[in-house]
Amino acid sequence: MKSDTLHKSKKEAETLKQPLVFIDGKFYPKSEAKVSVFDHGLLYGDGVFEGIRSYNCLVFKLKEHLVRLYESAHTLLLNIPLTKEASAKAIIETLRVNHLRDSYVRVIVTRGTGDLGLDPRKCKKPTIIIIADKIVLYPESLYKNGMDIITVPTVRNLPEAVNPSIKSLNYLNNILAKIEAVNSGYQEALMLNADGYVVECTGDNIFIVKNGILQTPPTYLGALKGITRQAIMDLAVRNDIPRQEQVLTRHDLFNADEAFLTGTAAEVIPVVKIDGRVIGDGKPGKMTQKLMSAFRDSTKKDGVKYTV
Ligand code: PMP
């Protein structure tokens, strides 16, 4: 065999081993999964996305993620050229072709290819990308012992400016906060809004427990309407845990009995220290542990089934 033929077949074999990425209706090996440099998702962060989990061949809260994706797109006047049903099928197909039973799926819809101007009307067709991969945000020890987080100077985007309820590709607000936390030696940042009220962390919603009541800030203060946040609120109802949306200050957090964060990637993660103040007895609280385990159970039962 000639060396260039050998080289070619080796390359082909390597390509065959790669994960497959869905772009606009077709699957491409990871190394060939590319979009235009003129895509406004890249040029301007003009687009929306979702992060979705599958657990043992069950896609968790698929409908809820699709509703949020389409609502975010609707607000941006971005017409996703697939029905929700077709998007659900494409997500499941991406999991199937990659033989993934447990996965983190990223669905991205960008404004599409345009020119160097901002005008979205120049982008004729949105780009739809689906990547199925794995994600590990934090080490297991943090789930056992809890996190230590810090408030950062960057405040959450104003709902009147870039509304945090839109899950857009424009994540610089969160990235700046993350950088500030990391620069100070912390893994996660607590973000306040411009009025100083607690809103959320860079990629997770926040909860506290006070006198047996589960509390989380209302999203109108400037937080994303987290799917995991809602799942926890629903589990609280099912487990007879009183829960409420409550405007919270840092003082409320410092004097909480328990605290934890929720998100698709992080799931439910206890918080034991905020800005140097120990929360409760400094260990993951009883209600937090109960909800962590109820959440893990629900991921094993609830979801849209698929086969690999
Ligand atoms: N807040 C922000 C800013 C997020 O990006 C996310 C998602 N990573 C969350 C909260 C949690 O939302 P969900 O539970 O839907 O993943």
Side-chain angles (χ1 to χ4, degrees):
M1 202 186 277
K2 271 194 189 158
S3 76
D4 60 337
T5 320
L6 185 69
H7 181 246
K8 205 173 157 201
S9 61
K10 219 173 147 189
K11 200 177 157 219
E12 272 165 12
E14 287 297 316
T15 308
L16 282 176
K17 276 193 266 163
Q18 290 181 20
L20 295 171
V21 177
F22 175 103
I23 306 177
D24 294 335
K26 288 197 194 128
F27 286 102
Y28 299 85
K30 185 178 169 182
S31 62
E32 285 160 33
K34 294 173 183 166
V35 293
S36 165
V37 292
F38 286 92
D39 194 297
H40 279 209
L42 172 72
L43 289 175
Y44 298 115
D46 186 356
V48 293
F49 78 100
E50 279 297 319
I52 307 173
R53 285 287 277 271
S54 81
Y55 296 93
N56 196 22
C57 291
L58 287 175
V59 188
F60 190 63
K61 303 283 178 197
L62 179 58
K63 187 172 154 240
E64 289 79 354
H65 281 286
L66 286 171
V67 165
R68 188 171 65 186
L69 182 75
Y70 280 70
E71 286 188 356
S72 293
H74 183 68
T75 295
L76 298 185
L77 286 173
L78 172 59
N79 266 327
I80 302 179
L82 284 182
T83 61
K84 279 198 199 98
E85 292 70 31
S87 291
K89 268 197 188 145
I91 290 166
I92 285 176
E93 201 46 33
T94 309
L95 287 161
R96 283 168 58 88
V97 297
N98 285 293
H99 308 290
L100 286 163
R101 304 177 70 85
D102 293 274
S103 177
Y104 176 86
V105 182
R106 176 60 59 91
V107 183
I108 305 145
V109 185
T110 76
R111 185 74 66 180
T113 305
D115 62 18
L116 291 179
L118 276 180
D119 192 345
R121 290 172 303 181
K122 300 273 178 65
C123 308
K124 294 297 171 216
K125 196 170 77 46
T127 308
I128 306 183
I129 302 163
I130 307 173
I131 309 166
D133 205 340
K134 302 256 174 195
I135 197 162
V136 179
L137 275 199
Y138 300 119
E140 198 49 42
S141 60
L142 283 185
Y143 289 85
K144 221 174 113 224
N145 304 323
M147 289 184 108
D148 182 357
I149 65 173
I150 187 172
T151 308
V152 293
T154 294
V155 298
R156 194 74 177 98
N157 277 334
L158 286 178
E160 299 78 14
V162 181
N163 193 333
S165 288
I166 306 166
K167 197 160 168 62
S168 82
L169 293 179
N170 199 316
Y171 251 54
L172 268 186
N173 183 224
N174 316 54
I175 291 167
L176 285 172
K178 186 82 173 181
I179 288 169
E180 286 162 354
V182 170
N183 273 350
S184 305
Y186 290 80
Q187 304 239 31
E188 187 49 287
L190 175 67
M191 299 183 79
L192 310 179
N193 68 9
D195 294 322
Y197 294 114
V198 170
V199 280
E200 61 177 338
C201 291
T202 65
D204 297 307
N205 292 106
I206 188 157
F207 282 84
I208 61 164
V209 179
K210 182 73 176 175
N211 299 330
I213 302 171
L214 184 67
Q215 304 181 347
T216 191
T219 54
Y220 64 75
L221 291 181
L224 183 76
K225 291 179 186 161
I227 308 288
T228 322
R229 174 186 183 275
Q230 188 56 49
I232 290 296
M233 293 295 245
D234 295 344
L235 284 171
V237 174
R238 260 189 257 163
N239 286 277
D240 288 325
I241 298 169
R243 63 13 162 190
Q244 63 191 32
E245 289 194 333
Q246 176 69 44
V247 176
L248 298 168
T249 63
R250 287 168 72 228
H251 174 74
D252 297 321
L253 262 54
F254 297 156
N255 293 288
D257 303 322
E258 304 182 24
F260 61 88
L261 310 182
T262 62
T264 297
E267 302 175 318
V268 181
I269 184 157
V271 172
V272 291
K273 221 182 209 188
I274 303 173
D275 299 335
R277 279 75 159 187
V278 174
I279 308 303
D281 62 1
K283 294 195 195 104
K286 286 236 155 50
M287 197 184 284
T288 304
Q289 289 182 37
K290 187 173 175 180
L291 287 165
M292 281 172 85
S293 112
F295 180 78
R296 285 214 169 135
D297 284 350
S298 78
T299 62
K300 290 184 194 133
K301 292 188 300 234
D302 308 335
V304 176
K305 206 168 165 45
Y306 64 95
T307 49
V308 290

